[in-house]
Amino acid sequence: DVKVTQSSRYLVKRTGEKVFLECVQDMDHENMFWYRQDPGLGLRLIYFSYDVKMKEKGDIPEGYSVSREKKERFSLILESASTNQTSMYLCASRVQASYGYTFGSGTRLTVV
Amino acid sequence: KQEVTQIPAALSVPEGENLVLNCSFTDSAIYNLQWFRQDPGKGLTSLLLIQSSQREQTSGRLNASLDKSSGRSTLYIAASQPGDSATYLCAVLLLSRLTFGEGTQLTVNP
């Protein structure tokens, strides 16, 4: 089975800190994605990557950046964390277009 | 813009009941539809993936159907168990964008 691993289940950070959320997949998937999930707003796409060193903005990229230096790893960066970035962050991967998505177990980030 | 609606938003049933969760979408030109399960505070677990050319998929007690022309999918759960309690999400893939419904929160009572 494909495994998507998010390095932290829970994180508490202070306003203004630079935050790194790490995601690693173990099945050579081409595409990787970062979503955030909030009550009443559902899942929203932040950034995605179709290949190494490629990145595309999703629906809500403001305040975030990403890095994909290796195929298996996709990092989400909060340049200066703010309280409105408190959320559940979900990473996903897939082989390529038209294939199903595999999600990680999520990182619950609280910014205080 | 693709919109995905799930009905009902919440459902509570006694153990052993067969049940149906509904998902509808506005743009029928989808590549595929995927059903997920989410336990509280956890990530999404993929249950079933239906490609646009398929009508249904089955896995154990779960059966998902797809009617592209009417923009509908159903997830049928047979002989429900308390362990099935979770939120069920459907998501449709269109133009490389996965769009999610808000989910159905299912509670199966012993």
Side-chain angles (χ1 to χ4, degrees), chain A residues 19-33:
Chain A
V19 181
F20 292 85
L21 302 183
E22 304 288 347
C23 176
V24 178
Q25 50 94 2
D26 65 359
M27 282 299 289
D28 206 34
H29 282 185
E30 298 283 336
N31 307 156
M32 297 187 75
F33 307 82

Side-chain angles (χ1 to χ4, degrees), chain A residues 9 33 35 37 40-43 45 48 50 57-59 88 90 94 97-101 103-106 108, chain B residues 1 31-32 34 36 38-46 49 51 87 89 93 95-102:
Chain A
R9 286 297 310 280
F33 307 82
Y35 290 84
Q37 184 179 30
L41 296 175
L43 279 95
L45 181 63
F48 59 102
Y50 283 157
K57 292 180 180 179
D59 300 320
M88 169 70 98
L90 293 163
R94 67 179 182 188
S98 84
Y99 284 73
Y101 286 56
F103 279 82
S105 54
R108 171 72 65 184
Chain B
K1 182 187 172 187
Y31 290 127
N32 60 43
Q34 198 165 359
F36 295 91
Q38 186 174 32
D39 294 291
K42 302 282 181 66
L44 277 63
T45 299
S46 180
L49 171 69
Q51 299 292 349
T87 296
L89 295 155
L93 182 65
L95 298 175
S96 298
R97 277 286 206 272
L98 193 65
T99 303
F100 288 84
E102 287 287 332

Side-chain angles (χ1 to χ4, degrees), chain B residues 3-4 9 13 16 19 21 25 32 35 37 43 45 48-49 59 61 68 71 73 76 80 83 93 102:
Chain B
E3 291 182 5
V4 180
V13 300
L19 55 100
L21 308 182
F25 46 94
N32 60 43
W35 282 94
R37 167 190 172 133
T45 299
L48 291 163
L49 171 69
S59 175
R61 294 182 295 109
K68 261 186 60 173
S73 176
Y76 175 82
S80 58
L93 182 65
E102 287 287 332

Side-chain angles (χ1 to χ4, degrees), chain B residues 64-85:
Chain B
S65 68
L66 174 63
D67 184 342
K68 261 186 60 173
S69 60
S70 66
R72 292 182 191 175
S73 176
T74 61
L75 179 67
Y76 175 82
I77 303 177
S80 58
Q81 303 170 356
D84 294 331
S85 297

